[in-house]
């Protein structure tokens, strides 16, 4: 069965701390895509990254980095030197190639609070 | 700004009523998705349309229906509303190619409150 688990419901850090958000997924597909979205207090969902199952290279974008490990079915997200503007709910999502629909299966989200 | 527009932003209505949520996808996108975000269920996929045709159905109630028009905008119709239908409804769009697993960009959402 397809499933995404974000075990951390809430994380609170002080500005400039590094923080890692965990994401574990389940799928029987060999071809799938993983995503991270950010939902700031204003409510919209902002796309952060898309990674396919054949590309296990870690990715860095500014203060953001992602660690994809197929062996542990994890796709973790690290924010380095966190800032107050990073406060948001972060969602990890899975899309399976079979079925040819693209529907996203979301985790429950992790609320990140960055305190000044 | 993702380029996906949704109207209205807020909607307050009473139980038993019917409402229509509207979504305009990004220019060039053929695929439209609807999702519901509620406190107890989280973010759930409802339905997908691709170039006017229904492509996939998720946890969508029979009281809900959707369609995608020739100009590619989509509407989600919610009828016989219940208190539990109160939620944030998102529309997302994508190009629709690449096996339908390309990136979905989300609109700002419509917050529905059923009293």
């Amino acid at each position: 069965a397809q499933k995404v688990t974000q075990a951390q419901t809430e994380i609170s850090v002080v500005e400039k701390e590094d923080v890692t958000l965990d994401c574990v997924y389940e799928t029987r597909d060999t071809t799938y895509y993983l995503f991270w979205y950010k939902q700031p207090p204003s409510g919209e969902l902002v796309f952060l990254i898309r990674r396919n199952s054949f590309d296990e290279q870690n990715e860095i974008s500014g203060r953001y980095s992602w660690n994809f490990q197929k062996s542990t079915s994890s796709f973790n997200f690290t924010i380095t030197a966190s800032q107050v503007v990073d406060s948001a709910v972060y969602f990890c999502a899975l899309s399976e190639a079979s079925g040819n629909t693209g529907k996203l299966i979301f985790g429950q989200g992790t609320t990140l609070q960055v305190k000044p | 700004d993702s380029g996906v527009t949704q109207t209205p932003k807020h909607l307050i209505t009473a139980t038993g009523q019917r409402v229509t949520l509207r979504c305009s996808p990004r220019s060039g996108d053929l695929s439209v998705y609807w999702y519901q975000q509620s406190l107890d269920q989280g973010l759930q996929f409802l339905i997908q349309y691709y170039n006017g045709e229904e492509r996939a159905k998720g946890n969508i109630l029979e009281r809900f229906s959707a369609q995608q028009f020739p100009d590619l905008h989509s509407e989600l119709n919610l009828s016989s509303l219940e208190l539990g239908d109160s939620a944030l409804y998102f529309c997302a769009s994508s190009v629709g190619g690449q096996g339908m697993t390309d990136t979905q960009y989300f609109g700002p959402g419509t917050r529905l409150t059923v009293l």
Side-chain angles (χ1 to χ4, degrees):
Chain A
Q2 45 197 219
K3 190 178 175 182
V4 176
T5 302
Q6 295 179 254
Q8 305 148 308
T9 307
E10 287 185 34
I11 301 176
S12 183
V13 299
V14 176
E15 211 170 16
K16 296 183 185 172
E17 281 185 22
D18 298 347
V19 58
T20 295
L21 310 183
D22 298 334
C23 172
V24 173
Y25 62 91
E26 291 177 35
T27 178
R28 290 184 182 154
D29 274 26
T30 54
T31 304
Y32 53 89
Y33 294 79
L34 296 164
F35 301 79
W36 277 93
Y37 284 87
K38 173 183 179 179
Q39 187 174 36
S42 50
E44 73 273 24
L45 279 167
V46 179
F47 165 73
L48 294 178
I49 189 171
R50 170 178 177 261
R51 175 54 54 87
N52 76 56
S53 53
F54 297 108
D55 182 3
E56 285 194 73
Q57 279 203 344
N58 291 334
E59 181 153 343
I60 299 174
S61 176
R63 297 183 297 106
Y64 295 171
S65 62
W66 290 268
N67 180 264
F68 176 29
Q69 292 199 333
K70 281 177 82 168
S71 60
T72 54
S73 297
S74 65
F75 186 43
N76 297 337
F77 173 29
T78 297
I79 302 174
T80 303
S82 59
Q83 299 176 2
V84 172
V85 292
D86 296 327
S87 297
V89 183
Y90 291 86
F91 292 94
C92 180
L94 165 72
S95 179
E96 298 175 327
S98 66
N100 208 23
T101 73
K103 69 177 183 182
L104 292 172
I105 299 141
F106 284 91
Q108 286 300 100
T110 296
T111 300
L112 173 65
Q113 185 181 34
V114 182
K115 297 177 183 175
Chain B
D1 186 347
S2 66
V4 179
T5 60
Q6 287 187 249
T7 56
K9 203 172 173 72
H10 301 278
L11 202 46
I12 301 174
T13 189
T15 54
Q17 295 297 306
R18 173 190 169 94
V19 297
T20 297
L21 313 184
R22 184 188 168 104
C23 167
S24 292
R26 295 185 319 156
S27 177
D29 285 359
L30 299 179
S31 217
V32 169
Y33 301 78
W34 287 97
Y35 292 85
Q36 179 195 59
Q37 184 178 29
S38 62
L39 281 174
D40 52 347
Q41 299 286 338
L43 264 165
Q44 299 245 327
F45 167 73
L46 294 178
I47 197 164
Q48 177 201 1
Y49 279 82
Y50 175 69
N51 205 19
E53 302 276 331
E54 182 185 299
R55 191 66 184 235
K57 258 184 171 176
N59 299 324
I60 188 165
L61 300 170
E62 282 192 16
R63 300 183 285 108
F64 296 1
S65 64
Q67 53 184 325
Q68 186 179 28
F69 294 86
D71 67 352
L72 300 176
H73 91 271
S74 178
E75 292 180 358
L76 179 67
N77 300 297
L78 315 177
S79 61
S80 302
L81 284 167
E82 302 175 359
L83 296 177
D85 298 327
S86 295
L88 188 52
Y89 291 85
F90 284 108
C91 168
S93 76
S94 71
V95 172
Q98 301 176 45
M100 300 292 175
T101 50
D102 48 342
T103 298
Q104 293 176 33
Y105 293 91
F106 283 76
T110 293
R111 183 165 296 283
L112 174 66
T113 303
V114 182
L115 300 175

